[in-house]
Every structure is written in structure tokens, then in C-alpha cells.
Amino acid sequence: MASVGLIGLGAMGTALGEALLRQGHNLFVWNRSAGKAASLIASGAQLAETPMQVVSSTDLTIICLVDCAAVTHVLDGVVGLAGRTVVNLTNGTPEQARGIADAVALADGRYLDGGIMAIPPIIGTPHALVLYSGDEAAYRSHRNTLEALGTAEFLGADAGLASLLDLSLLAGMYGLFSGVIQATVMAKAGNVPARQFSKLLTAWLQAMLLSVDDISARLDDHRFGQATSPLAMQLVAMENILSTSRQMGIDPGLIEPMARRIRQRVQRGGGADDISAIGDEISSSGSAVAAQ
Ligand code: FVH
């Protein structure tokens, strides 16, 4: 089993370290607060004194810190990366990922950026999806090791791609959670316990997930007309959600932006359009007039 370096031992870094140790890897770890290494050391990891010591002890170093500013700070002064691969699994922007890729390349290293689509307890299981992009040869060299963390998916050579899709998937999640919270607070205001309402809500959202493919195809094709549920009809329901929430003392702020965009599209003559037309409203390449 290969030696692996791990920088960052927060909740996620510790879970990554445990998964690597379970697979039998030699693990070199470093964390700003050394105390957080205790449990991994008890399981067999070795503590390095500096990030440079981690990187120079292994061919593959995984970094998982709070943000990319911390990654840049930690990598500052790390040199001589020839033959070594740095995998950054810290949440960041595509621009930050490309900047760190350039810095690693300047030090002669190979770089992979990654997005972890999982929470710590499922790291090391197939349910944990980790997206990678950047140096494909480095990915192929270390794929077996990276699969110890979860299902690995390589997206392409642009180091920024993994973080773009990570952030896109998180945007989908936050949209879903906004709706779940708004819906549940409304039901509770009518004295329906959240646990009881969740059965209805889950079944409804599962049915609505069937729309994702159609919305995607419409956005790809820029085809927004001939809707089965036209926006003019949806606007009535949307306004009713807003007014009912307000009457019950609930702030409709989580859902208001969507209502505003639907209203805007209808006012522009897009009342017959499908909900996917909202993508046209928010996109910089969107048309100023409703598509038919
Ligand atoms: N935990 C989760 O549910 C999510 C799931 C999806 C992916 N994320 C991303 O993983 C990154 C790390 O998250 P985390 O949960 O491990 O975060 P913390 O437990 O807060 O640990 C943060 C580590 O970062 C170190 N750190 C902070 N600032 C610095 C710095 N300036 N220089 C060096 N290290 C720094 C911190 O060190 P310490 O406070 O223990 O000394 C921790 O090791 C993150 O991108 C999530 O979005 C997790």
C-alpha cells in the first residue's frame, strides 16, 4: 500500500484519514492544531511537523482545509514537488482551484482538485462521491488510493471543473432545503407536525424530481414553450404561497426570489413558458424576451 499524506484533520480530514488507514495505507498527517491528530495517530498514522514534511514523505498528498485561502497559506513555501501529486479536496471556487493548480505546477508538481459530495460518516463507502479534475495522468496513477475515500469520478483536465460541479450540486441542495424548510414551517403553522407532513413532502418531492431531466433538456435546447404547467398558472400558486405565508406570520424570503423571476417572465410575455424559462431569466446569455 502506498504512503499517503494528509493535511487538515477537521471533521472531514479525519474521516478521510480513517478511510485511508482502513485500506492499509501508511499515513503521514499534519494539522495546524496538532492535538486533532491524536485519534489517527492512535490508529497508526505518523505526525509530521510541517506541511513540507508531509509532502516530501509521500507521492500523494491530500489537503482538506476550511477554505482555499488556508490551502494557499499552507502550500506557501512548499517546493520541489517533482514526481508528487497534490489533491485538494477543500471547498473553493473554480478560480481558486486554477490558481492553486498553477502554484503546484510552478513547484513542478501534479495537481488534482476535488469536490466531496458526502458527509464524514459515509466517507470510505460507495455512497460518498468525490469529483476530480485536473491532471488526468495523476488521477490514473492514484485512482486506486483515491477510491478508498468513496466513488471517484474524473471530470476533465480543467482544474476548476470539479469545484464548479461541486458548487452546482450544492446549489441544487440548498434550493431543495429552502423549499423543504418553507413548506414545513407553513404546515407547522397550520398545526400539522413536521414529522407527519414530511411523508407527504418526501413523496411530492420524489415525484417532482422526475422533472429534472425535462428541465435539463429544455435548458440545453433553449426550448421553453409548450409547457404542461405554464408559468401564468404557476404564478397564481406562487402569489398564494407568499400571501398565505405572510398571513401566518412566516417570512417568505426563501422562496420570494423564485416568485419574482416567474412574475418577471410572465410580464415579459412568457406566461405560456415552462418553469425552465427561469434559467433563461437568470443566465447572462438569456434572451430578453420570452421564447415561444
Ligand atoms: N464536514 C462536512 O460535512 C463537509 C462535507 C463536504 C465537504 N466539506 C468540505 O471539507 C472541507 C473541510 O471541512 P471540515 O468539515 O473538515 O471542516 P473543519 O472541521 O472546520 O476543519 C477545518 C480544517 O481547516 C484547518 N484550518 C483552518 N484554517 C486554517 C489555516 N489558516 N491554516 C491551516 N489550517 C487551517 C483546521 O485546522 P485547526 O483549526 O484544527 O487547526 C481544520 O483542520 C471544507 O472545505 C468543507 O467545505 C466538508
Side-chain angles (χ1 to χ4, degrees), residues 86-284:
V86 172
V87 180
N88 176 26
L89 299 183
T90 304
N91 187 282
T93 66
E95 209 169 66
Q96 286 173 322
R98 292 182 197 117
I100 297 168
D102 288 346
V104 170
L106 266 180
D108 294 326
R110 304 195 292 182
Y111 182 75
L112 281 169
D113 201 85
I116 303 176
M117 308 317 301
I119 53 173
I122 64 167
I123 290 297
T125 74
H127 303 294
L129 171 65
V130 187
L131 306 173
Y132 296 94
S133 67
D135 189 318
E136 187 166 3
Y139 175 75
R140 301 221 171 280
S141 307
H142 297 293
R143 185 178 180 164
N144 286 344
T145 304
L146 296 175
E147 277 179 343
L149 310 178
T151 301
E153 186 157 339
F154 183 77
L155 300 171
D158 173 5
L161 194 53
S163 77
L164 176 65
L165 294 204
D166 178 347
L167 297 177
S168 304
L169 290 169
L170 289 177
M173 179 191 80
Y174 285 118
L176 179 78
F177 289 172
S178 293
V180 165
I181 289 166
Q182 179 75 35
T184 305
V185 170
M186 286 175 73
K188 272 176 67 65
N191 294 321
V192 179
R195 283 191 188 83
Q196 180 187 326
F197 179 64
S198 81
K199 292 181 182 60
L200 284 175
L201 182 60
T202 303
W204 169 243
L205 291 179
Q206 275 166 347
M208 287 302 95
L209 280 178
L210 299 173
S211 310
V212 171
D213 281 350
D214 181 54
I215 290 173
S216 306
R218 284 171 170 276
L219 285 168
D220 267 350
D221 302 346
H222 210 74
R223 175 175 51 78
F224 304 120
Q226 294 179 313
T228 41
S229 302
L231 287 180
M233 176 276 288
Q234 297 209 40
L235 183 57
V236 176
M238 231 344 166
E239 302 290 13
N240 287 336
I241 293 169
L242 300 184
S243 63
T244 301
S245 293
R246 288 192 190 103
Q247 279 159 18
M248 296 178 111
I250 299 165
D251 179 352
L254 291 176
I255 207 160
E256 253 169 347
M258 188 65 162
R260 180 167 57 81
R261 294 297 184 167
I262 293 176
R263 211 178 287 125
Q264 177 180 303
R265 187 72 175 191
V266 171
Q267 281 165 359
R268 287 183 184 180
D273 282 352
D274 175 78
I275 193 79
S276 53
I278 303 310
D280 194 41
E281 292 294 315
I282 66 166
S283 163
S284 55

Side-chain angles (χ1 to χ4, degrees), residues 9-12 31-33 36 64-66 70 74 90-91 116 118 120:
L9 304 177
M12 183 51 82
N31 193 61
R32 183 179 60 175
S33 324
K36 283 195 187 159
C64 188
L65 298 177
V66 68
V74 160
T90 304
N91 187 282
I116 303 176

